[in-house]
Amino acid sequence: YAGAFALRRGLEIARRELTRGEVDDPEQAIAIFARKLGDALVRTGELSEAEGVLREGLGVTKRGAPERLRIEGVLGRVLFARGRRAEGLRIVDTAVSVAERAGARAVAAELLELRAELETIERAHVDAAKALEAAEVLVREGWRSAPTEAQRRHHANLLLRLARSRRLAGVDDLQALEEARSIAASLGHRVVVAQCEAEAAERAEMLGDRRAAMAAWRRAVANAHEAGDASLEQEYDERLRRLGRSDAYA
């Protein structure tokens, strides 16, 4: 895994610079590389190594510092993946509370999004939606002026995740989905538009509205094609065909 190898190399360099004293803030470099490497390792299933790397990062960061809180979030993910789920969630929750008290809205929002991801794995969709709702409020509060394009892209993805969590929690609310689709369309972000149409199709299927679902799947296919995402186009086309076949035999 090339990304993890590069991060390991970066961490090794930061460790050497810590002893040489030739870099202004080697502790910060170690913390950043430890967090990124830990996250990469957890995604490839190397959980023991990930935990060790993250705890090294914690050892060079000050309590309450933003980078430490981010490391704690990834450590919570590791513990969750290792079966220590309650402990993992507790670490993430504590980091969220510290970030909120310090006024670090962006960090708190990141951690809440992570919590929602873990709750989704547990199929605790109500709790996932609550975490995403809180994250979305913090994201909006963090804009000091008009949001940048990158911030708007992130916001669209966050709203899409919120819409999906609400649907899975049994809440029929189109507001987040419509806003996500509007932002993505204004940015020409066709992949997210396609994902929004797919979510609209899922919602329509849940409500038993087959005609609306098929129309939404067609829009999802068209937007995925326009975005040049062949994998997504194939996935949505299969869902459309499957629904069409079930309709024929209904």
Side-chain angles (χ1 to χ4, degrees), residues 35-248:
R35 173 175 58 82
K36 291 184 176 181
L37 177 55
D39 193 52
L41 290 170
V42 92
R43 293 181 189 281
T44 57
E46 300 170 77
L47 302 179
S48 294
E49 185 177 356
E51 184 172 349
V53 165
L54 292 165
R55 292 196 183 280
E56 179 182 0
L58 290 176
V60 298
T61 52
K62 295 179 181 178
R63 191 174 298 278
E67 195 56 43
R68 182 185 180 91
L69 296 173
R70 290 187 172 101
I71 291 172
E72 289 172 346
V74 182
L75 179 60
R77 185 202 297 276
V78 171
L79 296 176
F80 188 91
R82 299 191 76 175
R84 295 153 64 184
R85 299 193 169 191
E87 184 181 356
L89 289 172
R90 186 167 59 252
I91 286 175
V92 175
D93 285 342
T94 300
V96 169
S97 296
V98 173
E100 289 179 330
R101 286 198 300 271
R105 291 190 184 93
V107 177
E110 287 175 31
L111 292 166
L112 283 164
E113 289 188 60
L114 170 58
R115 196 190 203 291
E117 182 182 329
L118 300 181
E119 294 287 12
T120 300
I121 293 170
E122 289 278 76
R123 299 184 182 276
H125 300 301
V126 171
D127 290 333
K130 287 178 180 177
L132 290 170
E133 286 163 5
E136 201 266 337
V137 170
L138 289 170
V139 164
R140 287 183 188 270
E141 290 177 351
W143 296 335
R144 296 179 181 177
S145 57
T148 65
E149 181 173 331
Q151 287 172 325
R152 293 179 70 206
R153 280 176 177 259
H154 172 251
H155 192 211
N157 278 287
L158 174 55
L159 287 165
L160 174 57
R161 289 178 63 195
L162 175 56
R164 185 177 296 126
S165 287
R166 283 177 173 166
R167 171 177 59 80
L168 292 170
V171 178
D172 185 20
D173 181 2
L174 277 174
Q175 182 178 346
L177 180 59
E178 289 175 346
E179 188 174 358
R181 182 164 39 198
S182 175
I183 295 170
S186 70
L187 293 171
H189 198 351
R190 289 295 161 196
V191 168
V192 175
V193 174
Q195 291 170 334
C196 287
E197 295 295 358
E199 177 57 29
E202 296 278 13
R203 175 182 174 276
E205 286 193 42
M206 180 184 73
L207 295 174
D209 190 341
R210 209 177 288 259
R211 180 177 297 179
M214 291 190 71
W217 283 123
R218 289 190 187 98
R219 293 193 299 270
V221 170
N223 277 282
H225 178 78
E226 191 171 339
D229 192 323
S231 176
L232 209 58
E233 181 182 0
Q234 182 178 358
E235 176 187 343
Y236 294 160
D237 187 59
E238 176 56 32
R239 289 295 301 272
L240 174 61
R241 291 173 183 273
R242 192 183 312 160
L243 184 60
R245 288 195 296 270
S246 65
D247 191 32

